Amino acid sequence: MLTAPPPLIAVIGPVEPPLLTAWVSHYRELGIERFLLAFHFPDHVPTDLRHELNAHVRELGIVPTGCSTGPWHEHTNTQLRDALRAAAGPGWHLIADADEFQQYAAPLHEITAHADRTRHKTVGGLLLDRISTSGRMTDWNPAQGLDHAYPLGGHLTHRLLHGDPRKIVLARHDVALTSGNHRAPGHHPDPAHLAAVHHFKWRSGIVEDLRRRVAHFSSGTWQEHTPAVRDEASRLLTHLSDHGGTINLADPRFAFRRVSLDQLPYNWHSEAHTVHTTWRPPTPAARN
């Protein structure tokens, strides 16, 4: 007898409604039935967009669990996420940001059953950054889809931004997660079975968002525990400035190639295993 699919836990900011539609559709195709979502809107977000997103998610058949406004401190996501997890109850939880489309090698019930058998209380994933063929932060046409607009996948987060590409995509209810869902202290996912987390962050509007983060974290308007998020944003902005507003597709470090949400990238398990087991936070010298 199959167990119920895990609830999906997500804290969502001011994304465009079509992204939310594509995101919900993707996870429903994976079998997700229960969505526990909380919106958080920084002060710059227009009231009309707040109302539009709240109405839109209800049109998708989901009632938001909460909605808050104000500064997006580093701890804001963590507090909202943990409140959602408490409301979700016991069992497995699937955790995903609104720009993260997880891709598995098997149905979710087989993934969680394997984790139970092997006594893993988490399942890991690895970010696969998706970008346009021009390397620019472009808009996308919902009629054509995200795969069409951002067909290239590669390793931008850790090889350019020095960010942690590892994600906890599934966790038992009693497992605590760090900020950004990158780690579960005391628990290690099986590196041989990692999901691909297609990361559709690099869309139109992200440059302004990154500049806003740098400004607010630098001024203290938004509180941070470490400068990591601000530093990652600054590296991307510097890279774009150095390359005419584009991501340098010719840089072999990023390993960009055509990928799709329809099937895992070629040799994914070996590639993800290597990155997951060898990645380390950069040293101060490397950061500079």
Side-chain angles (χ1 to χ4, degrees):
M1 183 166 137
L2 297 181
T3 58
L8 190 157
I9 310 296
V11 178
I12 298 175
V15 300
E16 63 272 30
L19 182 72
L20 204 54
T21 299
W23 183 81
V24 169
S25 176
H26 174 80
Y27 283 101
R28 280 180 170 154
E29 288 179 5
L30 292 186
I32 298 299
E33 300 170 355
R34 186 183 177 201
F35 291 78
L36 279 80
L37 312 182
F39 285 112
H40 182 76
F41 300 122
D43 295 333
H44 69 274
V45 179
T47 301
D48 288 350
L49 179 57
R50 302 179 192 185
H51 292 328
E52 181 182 8
L53 282 168
N54 270 287
H56 188 73
V57 78
R58 284 174 167 82
E59 292 173 0
L60 296 173
I62 300 167
V63 177
T65 303
C67 181
S68 63
T69 59
W72 204 312
H73 303 305
E74 190 172 344
H75 59 259
T76 299
N77 254 52
T78 304
Q79 291 176 344
L80 293 171
R81 179 203 66 198
D82 290 349
L84 293 173
R85 295 192 69 199
W92 285 95
H93 297 166
L94 188 152
I95 302 102
D97 293 340
D99 58 10
E100 295 176 352
F101 287 57
Q102 297 170 7
Q103 185 181 41
Y104 295 88
L108 279 175
H109 69 271
E110 293 183 16
I111 298 293
T112 54
H114 179 267
D116 287 332
R117 286 195 304 272
T118 56
R119 299 187 178 182
H120 286 89
K121 300 186 77 172
T122 61
V123 174
L126 191 79
L127 289 175
L128 183 65
D129 294 293
R130 299 290 299 269
I131 67 169
S132 68
T133 54
S134 68
R136 295 188 178 277
M137 313 294 116
T138 61
D139 287 319
W140 63 288
N141 183 343
Q144 295 178 315
L146 291 162
D147 266 347
H148 182 271
Y150 312 104
L152 303 182
H155 302 292
L156 191 71
T157 294
H158 62 293
R159 291 181 178 161
L160 173 64
L161 310 186
H162 299 171
D164 191 344
R166 304 167 302 174
K167 301 288 283 193
I168 300 297
V169 294
L170 290 158
R172 297 291 299 179
H173 69 279
D174 55 347
V175 173
L177 302 179
T178 61
S179 175
N181 313 319
H182 293 290
R183 295 185 299 109
H187 299 274
H188 301 285
D190 184 350
H193 296 84
L194 297 172
V197 182
H198 293 256
H199 194 207
F200 291 100
K201 181 174 183 174
W202 315 112
R203 313 182 317 279
S204 177
I206 187 60
V207 172
E208 292 77 10
D209 181 59
L210 295 179
R211 288 175 177 153
R212 188 179 298 113
R213 291 187 196 183
V214 171
H216 286 320
F217 282 131
S218 297
S219 68
T221 305
W222 294 359
Q223 299 170 14
E224 61 183 12
H225 300 295
T226 73
V229 173
R230 175 162 44 102
D231 289 349
E232 290 172 27
S234 295
R235 289 188 192 97
L236 194 281
L237 293 172
T238 298
H239 180 86
L240 294 177
S241 177
D242 290 344
H243 295 89
T246 69
I247 294 169
N248 180 16
L249 302 180
D251 192 324
R253 293 177 300 160
F254 307 150
F256 281 115
R257 73 280 200 191
R258 288 189 175 270
V259 296
S260 169
L261 289 169
D262 292 334
Q263 61 181 17
L264 281 169
Y266 172 73
N267 207 31
W268 173 254
H269 293 300
S270 174
E271 177 182 354
H273 181 279
T274 298
V275 174
H276 190 275
T277 55
T278 61
W279 186 85
R280 297 292 183 274
T283 64
R287 290 192 187 98
N288 294 330

